[in-house]
């Protein structure tokens, strides 16, 4: 029996939760993995509420997966409010909260499993055509794509190589942003992010999990 390692996530919705469940299955069914993983996730937009429900004793890292939706004032305010709550949650228990964002949306990360996505988009709805193209689907809306039975079909197609490639593509986006958008990088409460899409940091925790399991 392989030793099991547990990772904690608070997520915004069912899409992220289903993805982590599938990722757990992929890793645990990969013979080369040195460990099995338990990717414990709970749909909870408020980091403080999430932490209050955790029964932990030792210092624990928690990852908050959220969208950085757009540059309109209400979205920017909501994003920073999330970062404030992450810092407040760290004071409640022995928690280190890690930011895993996608700009505009988590669909960027899903696309990166099969394709590069360097182009800046004007609306989150524009991700639909990319999803249909790279997964050879014909969803009529993001709502249609996010139906559990439809999303699971996409997730079931993914394998460990897709996950590794997604990490590589995300790192390429980050490197490109670092070179071209230095002045547009922002830091708030110790968290660093870009205000323009495409940008993301979710690959950082996924890469760490893969490294822990000796898969990269």
């Amino acid at each position: 029996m392989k030793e099991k390692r547990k990772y904690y996530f608070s997520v915004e919705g069912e899409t992220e939760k289903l993805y982590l469940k599938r990722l757990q299955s992929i890793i645990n069914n990969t013979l080369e993995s040195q460990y099995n993983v338990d990717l414990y996730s709970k749909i909870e937009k408020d980091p403080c509420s999430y932490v209050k429900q955790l029964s932990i004793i030792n210092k624990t890292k928690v990852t908050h997966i959220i969208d950085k939706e757009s540059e309109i004032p209400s979205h920017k305010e909501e994003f920073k409010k999330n970062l404030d709550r992450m810092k407040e949650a760290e004071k409640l228990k022995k928690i280190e909260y890690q930011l895993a964002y996608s700009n505009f949306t988590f669909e960027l990360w899903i696309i990166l499993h099969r394709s590069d996505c360097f182009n800046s988009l004007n609306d989150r709805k524009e991700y639909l055509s990319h999803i249909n193209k790279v997964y050879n689907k014909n969803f009529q809306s993001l709502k249609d794509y996010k139906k559990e039975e439809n999303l699971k079909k996409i997730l079931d197609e993914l394998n460990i190589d897709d996950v590794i490639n997604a990490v590589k593509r995300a790192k390429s986006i980050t490197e490109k942003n670092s070179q071209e958008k230095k002045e547009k990088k922002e830091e708030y409460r110790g968290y660093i992010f870009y205000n323009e899409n495409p940008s993301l940091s979710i690959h950082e925790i996924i890469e760490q999990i893969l490294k822990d399991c000796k898969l990269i």
Side-chain angles (χ1 to χ4, degrees):
M1 288 287 291
K2 295 179 182 178
E3 178 185 336
K4 181 178 288 187
R5 296 198 170 186
K6 190 168 187 175
Y7 301 83
Y8 294 86
F9 296 86
S10 49
V11 301
E12 285 193 309
E14 193 68 27
T15 303
E16 295 88 345
K17 186 175 180 66
L18 288 173
Y19 173 80
L20 290 171
K21 182 178 180 180
R22 175 58 182 157
L23 178 61
Q24 175 179 298
S25 177
I26 290 172
I27 292 174
N28 291 347
N29 285 288
T30 299
L31 294 178
E32 293 81 4
S33 178
Q34 295 298 300
Y35 301 99
N36 284 331
V37 296
D38 178 5
L39 306 185
Y40 173 77
S41 67
K42 183 175 179 61
I43 299 174
E44 178 55 76
K45 293 185 178 182
D46 182 4
C48 289
S49 295
Y50 175 88
V51 167
K52 287 176 181 178
Q53 300 172 52
L54 281 183
S55 298
I56 56 170
I57 299 175
N58 300 320
K59 180 78 173 181
T60 302
K61 178 179 286 188
V62 178
T63 301
H64 194 40
I65 300 180
I66 56 174
D67 292 342
K68 189 178 186 304
E69 296 196 40
S70 78
E71 281 301 276
I72 67 172
S74 61
H75 286 166
K76 293 178 70 172
E77 182 180 342
E78 182 65 25
F79 182 73
K80 288 187 174 180
K81 180 181 177 182
N82 266 284
L83 304 187
D84 288 334
R85 296 294 283 173
M86 288 164 68
K87 284 301 179 185
E88 291 174 25
E90 290 183 332
K91 300 175 184 178
L92 298 175
K93 292 182 181 179
K94 296 178 180 179
I95 293 292
E96 176 188 346
Y97 239 120
Q98 178 175 343
L99 172 65
Y101 80 96
S102 295
N103 184 355
F104 285 122
T105 174
F106 189 74
E107 278 61 59
L108 170 62
W109 175 243
I110 297 295
I111 291 165
L112 292 178
H113 285 69
R114 291 290 176 86
S115 174
D116 289 318
C117 191
F118 286 110
N119 294 334
S120 181
L121 304 181
N122 295 315
D123 190 284
R124 62 193 299 123
K125 294 178 182 178
E126 294 178 26
Y127 284 107
L128 180 65
S129 62
H130 292 267
I131 290 172
N132 281 336
K133 181 178 180 181
V134 301
Y135 289 100
N136 194 28
K137 305 296 182 184
N138 189 32
F139 300 124
Q140 299 302 302
S141 66
L142 285 176
K143 184 178 181 180
D144 186 28
Y145 143 79
K146 287 187 175 186
K147 289 180 180 176
E148 184 172 342
E149 64 270 25
N150 291 336
L151 181 59
K152 281 185 175 181
K153 288 178 182 177
I154 284 181
L155 297 178
D156 285 345
E157 293 182 19
L158 300 180
N159 58 43
I160 192 63
D161 289 332
D162 292 321
V163 179
I164 292 171
N165 286 330
V167 170
K168 291 178 180 177
R169 292 184 180 113
K171 291 175 74 173
S172 294
I173 289 175
T174 301
E175 289 167 8
K176 188 172 187 289
N177 287 343
S178 180
Q179 294 168 6
E180 299 178 1
K181 301 178 182 177
K182 291 181 181 179
E183 72 282 1
K184 295 179 180 179
K185 181 165 67 174
E186 188 171 340
E187 181 175 346
Y188 180 77
R189 301 297 302 267
Y191 299 111
I192 297 173
F193 51 90
Y194 288 90
N195 287 313
E196 292 186 356
N197 74 85
S199 65
L200 70 168
S201 64
I202 187 173
H203 61 287
E204 294 173 0
I205 180 59
I206 306 301
E207 181 179 33
Q208 187 58 58
I209 293 170
L210 296 178
K211 284 183 176 179
D212 291 346
C213 293
K214 312 300 182 186
L215 289 171
I216 55 175

